Amino acid sequence: HTEYSSFRFALFFMAEYANMIVAASVTATLFFGGYHLPFLDPDGVRITLGGAPLFELKLTHLAVSAIHVAAFFGKTVLMVWLQVFIRWTLPRFRYDQLMRLGWTKLLPLALANIVLTGMAVLALTSGGATLTRLLDTAADLTQALVAVGGLVAAVALVTGLLEPPRKKRIAVSTAARQALEQGGIRPGEMQA
């Protein structure tokens, strides 16, 4: 950032944030279901448990489309916030640290994921109708758990943001800590 100033620096900065938004959009699309939300069908909200409907709400196509756009935008904003939070919180990694993490931790995890997913697909394709009904019920329960967990997390985030910060007196240095332990500093002692 020291080589460029003014407009060239602004272009680099805008390109960096445009990259974050594109990466967040791709991440939301590939890993977080894009515009899909639990229990939202093309004709409205439908909550079922094992095929039996528990709750239904009919919505217009425009309302469902608006909810889909808001869901995708919300997931993208959440991923941008996560990237900014990590970038501002953690120190930078060196290239060798990133390569070591990728080769020693992430590659074996990815290979194990591929093997376990293949085994699960083989087991599911050889299962019968009972297994299919059981998995449908488990999927409905998982959707309910995700929806309730997301709602609880949103409420916790809002209440955490609305709570006023508590001020604590923290003694940082050794001299200040010792002075607090001995009852503080009297005003007359420090004056010359």
Side-chain angles (χ1 to χ4, degrees):
H1 296 301
T2 58
E3 291 86 4
Y4 298 100
S5 63
S6 179
F7 194 75
R8 290 179 182 164
F9 174 75
L11 287 177
F12 276 111
F13 210 63
M14 287 189 322
E16 188 175 344
Y17 279 99
N19 178 31
M20 287 176 60
I21 292 170
V22 169
S25 300
V26 170
T27 302
T29 301
L30 293 178
F31 300 108
F32 294 109
Y35 58 86
H36 294 288
L37 286 175
F39 307 116
L40 187 63
D41 289 335
D43 57 345
V45 177
R46 181 179 300 135
I47 299 175
T48 61
L49 183 60
L54 298 176
F55 176 77
E56 288 189 35
L57 175 66
K58 298 289 183 187
L59 296 173
T60 64
H61 180 69
L62 183 63
V64 172
S65 297
I67 292 171
H68 282 164
V69 169
F72 181 75
F73 182 72
K75 291 176 184 180
T76 302
V77 167
L78 181 68
M79 291 310 301
V80 167
W81 177 82
L82 184 67
Q83 288 179 21
V84 168
F85 180 76
I86 289 172
R87 183 173 180 171
W88 289 350
T89 304
L90 298 176
R92 294 183 185 210
F93 290 106
R94 294 189 321 257
Y95 186 72
D96 62 323
Q97 292 172 331
L98 290 174
M99 292 299 290
R100 186 179 312 115
L101 173 69
W103 283 106
T104 62
K105 306 274 188 310
L106 298 180
L107 182 65
L109 280 175
L111 292 175
N113 185 21
I114 290 171
V115 170
L116 291 175
T117 303
M119 290 170 46
V121 167
L122 282 175
L124 293 177
T125 56
S126 64
T130 306
L131 181 64
T132 304
R133 281 196 312 272
L134 181 67
L135 288 176
D136 285 342
T137 304
D140 292 340
L141 289 174
T142 303
Q143 277 189 343
L145 183 66
V146 166
V148 169
L151 182 64
V152 167
V155 168
L157 179 68
V158 169
T159 56
L161 291 175
L162 294 178
E163 183 178 319
R166 296 182 184 143
K167 295 183 179 179
K168 295 181 180 178
R169 186 172 179 162
I170 300 174
V172 179
S173 69
T174 307
R177 192 177 307 120
Q178 288 176 353
L180 281 176
E181 289 172 357
Q182 295 175 0
I185 300 173
R186 292 189 265 312
E189 294 178 8
M190 297 300 288
Q191 295 174 356

